[in-house]
Amino acid sequence: MDSHAPESSSATQKITPAQPEWTISTSGHTPELHISGNWTIDEHVPLAFSSDALSAHDQSGSLAVDASKLGQWDSSLVSFLWSAKQVAAKEGLKLDISDLPEGVQSLSSLLPENPQPPAAPADKIHNPFRLSGAFTLSTLDEVGALTMLGLDTAQVSTKALSGRGGMRLRDLLANIFDAGPAALLIVSVVNFLIGAILAFVGAVQLQKFSADIYVANLVGIACVRELSAVMTAIIMAGRTGGAYAARIATMQGNEEIDALQVFGIPISSYILVPAVVSLMVMMPLLYLYGCVMSIFGGYVVSVGMLPDITGAGYMHQTFSAVSMSQFEFGFVKSIVFAIMIGLVSCRIGLKAGRSAADVGTAATSAVVVGIVGVITLDAIFAVIANALGI
């Protein structure tokens, strides 16, 4: 039987404690940082170095790191060493990490020398002149971009009508259907109710003066001159304009716009012209249809509510009160509204971001800007009509 005992490996094997620990010792006048244990995030390692750990040492030389008892490690060790480096720099010491594993040294070299300074607090007192100037410049810049987009669209439209443009007839017909027949229901309901409301309000007041028949004048002039064009344009801004902006913003996010530019396909002829032309074609027709529905709504309420008004008398009074110039004025306004809604919606879609949230933001912006633009243009037309005596 062999009496020799096996060699013990406990004397040569390095035993690494599991818990992460660090201590400071002094060899002569040089401090040394000893790191031991497993420095992983699961071991609840200290991520910050004590700010007063080096206060008792000389403010010269270097702070060496002893990693002979270091076990497993991850980025938490790098974070601790970076904290130690900042504290050592304040005490005039340089952190020496040459004894650490190569991976720790590589990650530590990627860290900045000093932490990022906090951002300066925003000035709570805003300069009104600066804000108004920035708003004016951005508005003028946007108006210029929208004007250039309109000129480009007009140029491509002229070529497309002559057969030399890049617009596809299929795209134009799809946009015409979406902007016209698909919107008949909501245009009918809204304009019918507008005419009925005007007739009801007018009847309540005009009955006091035995002027019931003039309800036809109120409904006819108000709807033909103002309300039918404005309400139809608002409907199209909310329904079609928002859809245009969302569609183009989605194409922007899917990089379809970039693909068109790479292949040399003009965006104006492929996207803008069908959208704007379809609105220009259908908006005047929807305006005329809205006028008919508004007058019909006033007709239903007046004949049903006022016993002294007959259907024939109401229609005769309407035709005598509303002249052809009122229809022409509303017709021109509807065309201008269509151009504005189409260009603004496409412009907002083209400048949208590339995320999914930007699609909803673009659609909302197109609706809001379209409605505000319609009302603003209507106010301008009212001033022009008053100056021309229409």
Side-chain angles (χ1 to χ4, degrees):
M1 181 175 181
D2 191 0
S3 59
H4 292 285
E7 295 182 0
S8 175
S9 61
S10 59
T12 59
Q13 184 178 4
K14 183 175 67 173
I15 301 176
T16 302
Q19 294 296 327
E21 296 179 354
W22 66 272
T23 57
I24 296 290
S25 66
T26 304
S27 176
H29 294 287
T30 303
E32 188 173 8
L33 174 61
H34 300 274
I35 299 177
S36 60
N38 295 325
W39 284 71
T40 60
I41 197 65
D42 296 331
E43 299 293 340
H44 305 289
V45 299
L47 298 180
F49 188 76
S50 178
S51 59
D52 57 350
L54 301 174
S55 59
H57 301 279
D58 295 338
Q59 297 183 359
S60 62
S62 62
L63 174 62
V65 180
D66 176 22
S68 58
K69 297 182 180 180
L70 177 64
Q72 299 178 355
W73 60 273
D74 57 15
S75 59
S76 58
L77 174 62
V78 180
S79 176
F80 173 78
L81 292 175
W82 190 60
S83 176
K85 181 179 179 180
Q86 306 305 318
V87 175
K90 292 181 180 179
E91 299 294 336
L93 301 174
K94 182 179 179 181
L95 186 66
D96 183 9
I97 59 174
S98 58
D99 190 43
L100 290 171
E102 183 179 353
V104 179
Q105 298 183 35
S106 300
L107 291 176
S108 299
S109 64
L110 299 176
L111 296 174
E113 292 294 330
N114 299 308
Q116 187 73 19
D123 189 8
K124 295 183 179 180
I125 302 177
H126 299 287
N127 190 338
F129 297 102
R130 179 182 299 176
L131 293 177
S132 60
F135 176 77
T136 303
L137 291 177
S138 62
T139 302
L140 292 176
D141 188 23
E142 196 62 32
V143 169
L146 195 62
T147 303
M148 294 301 298
L149 186 64
L151 293 176
D152 189 21
T153 304
Q155 183 179 6
V156 175
S157 300
T158 304
K159 294 181 179 179
L161 293 177
S162 61
R164 295 182 289 109
M167 181 182 65
R168 299 189 303 178
L169 182 60
R170 181 175 59 184
D171 295 335
L172 178 61
L173 294 178
N175 282 274
I176 286 177
F177 177 81
D178 183 66
L184 283 178
L185 179 59
I186 186 172
V187 171
S188 303
V189 173
V190 170
N191 282 279
F192 178 86
L193 293 177
I194 289 294
I197 292 170
L198 281 177
F200 179 79
V201 174
V204 170
Q205 297 299 321
L206 293 176
Q207 271 185 323
K208 300 177 181 179
F209 306 97
S210 299
D212 303 4
I213 193 61
Y214 289 103
V215 173
N217 298 56
L218 172 64
V219 175
I221 295 176
C223 293
V224 171
R225 183 184 179 91
E226 295 291 341
L227 292 179
S228 291
V230 172
M231 294 307 300
T232 302
I234 289 176
I235 292 170
M236 300 307 291
R239 182 187 178 278
T240 307
Y244 287 167
R247 182 180 64 187
I248 297 176
T250 303
M251 296 177 66
Q252 193 80 269
N254 294 336
E255 299 182 355
E256 297 177 36
I257 302 295
D258 298 334
L260 292 175
Q261 294 175 343
V262 168
F263 282 105
I265 300 175
I267 299 177
S268 55
S269 61
Y270 189 79
I271 299 176
L272 304 184
V273 173
V276 177
V277 171
S278 62
L279 281 176
M280 290 178 60
V281 171
M282 297 310 301
M283 186 81 81
L285 301 179
L286 289 175
Y287 156 72
L288 296 177
Y289 178 75
C291 291
V292 174
M293 294 304 300
S294 299
I295 294 173
F296 179 65
Y299 172 88
V300 172
V301 172
S302 299
V303 174
M305 183 177 176
L306 302 174
D308 297 333
I309 297 181
T310 62
Y314 181 90
M315 298 306 299
H316 179 270
Q317 186 69 21
T318 300
F319 292 141
S320 62
V322 182
S323 61
M324 185 57 64
S325 61
Q326 304 295 333
F327 281 100
E328 295 172 355
F329 186 64
F331 197 86
V332 172
K333 284 203 300 185
S334 63
I335 295 177
V336 176
F337 291 159
I339 296 174
M340 186 275 297
I341 293 171
L343 290 178
V344 167
S345 301
C346 293
R347 169 62 181 170
I348 292 176
L350 288 174
K351 71 173 185 178
R354 297 181 180 271
S355 66
D358 292 326
V359 176
T361 303
T364 303
S365 300
V367 174
V368 173
V369 175
I371 293 175
V372 174
V374 167
I375 297 175
T376 303
L377 287 177
D378 186 67
I380 295 174
F381 271 106
V383 175
I384 296 174
N386 182 63
L388 297 178
I390 300 176

